[in-house]
Amino acid sequence: MGIEKRLHPRIPVNWPVVILTPKSVIKGETRNISVGGACIEYSEEADLNGELHIVFEHSKQRSMSVTGRKAWAGNFNIDGKSVFSGVGVRFIEISREDQELISSLDKDI
């Protein structure tokens, strides 16, 4: 097992997400999240360079809107059958309220 290099631990979630780029709208699913970033699965071709406006749907009553930048992107095959596209985003703007919500998730695990 490798050493965790992230400042904030990732929390597994299955939240719908929308990424707004200057050229497109990409729908996907959040695979994990922390106060510093998230891993997002998506299926459309996408140019994810530059600033990304990202809206996470935590619940029907609560969403989170952040600004982020792509840290990495690629295609992954976890189960040997299906390939998915994923992107890791680093948050550059996130409200204190949203940081507190994410931090509270860590206590629920």
Side-chain angles (χ1 to χ4, degrees):
M1 186 186 302
I3 296 172
E4 177 63 53
K5 295 180 182 179
R6 292 187 179 105
L7 293 174
H8 309 286
R10 293 284 174 103
I11 301 147
V13 295
N14 293 306
W15 297 346
V17 62
V18 175
I19 303 171
L20 305 164
T21 75
K23 298 179 181 177
S24 63
V25 175
I26 301 140
K27 293 181 180 181
E29 183 172 328
T30 312
R31 295 181 70 82
N32 61 52
I33 194 165
S34 76
V35 296
C39 175
I40 298 169
E41 178 181 340
Y42 59 94
S43 58
E44 303 109 66
E45 293 274 331
D47 176 8
L48 298 171
N49 294 310
E51 262 187 24
L52 306 171
H53 181 73
I54 307 163
V55 180
F56 298 95
E57 188 178 317
H58 170 260
S59 68
K60 296 288 184 195
Q61 298 81 26
R62 176 78 162 84
S63 64
M64 297 186 323
S65 180
V66 304
T67 302
R69 288 197 182 275
K70 175 180 76 174
W72 56 263
N75 294 318
F76 303 92
N77 182 334
I78 292 178
D79 60 8
K81 298 175 187 170
S82 56
V83 175
F84 71 90
S85 297
V87 61
V89 294
R90 179 179 49 86
F91 300 153
I92 54 178
E93 288 182 31
I94 179 171
S95 72
R96 179 166 303 282
E97 183 180 79
D98 289 342
Q99 289 176 352
E100 289 171 0
L101 172 65
I102 294 168
S103 293
S104 74
L105 297 173
D106 192 25
K107 295 169 181 64
D108 295 337
I109 295 177

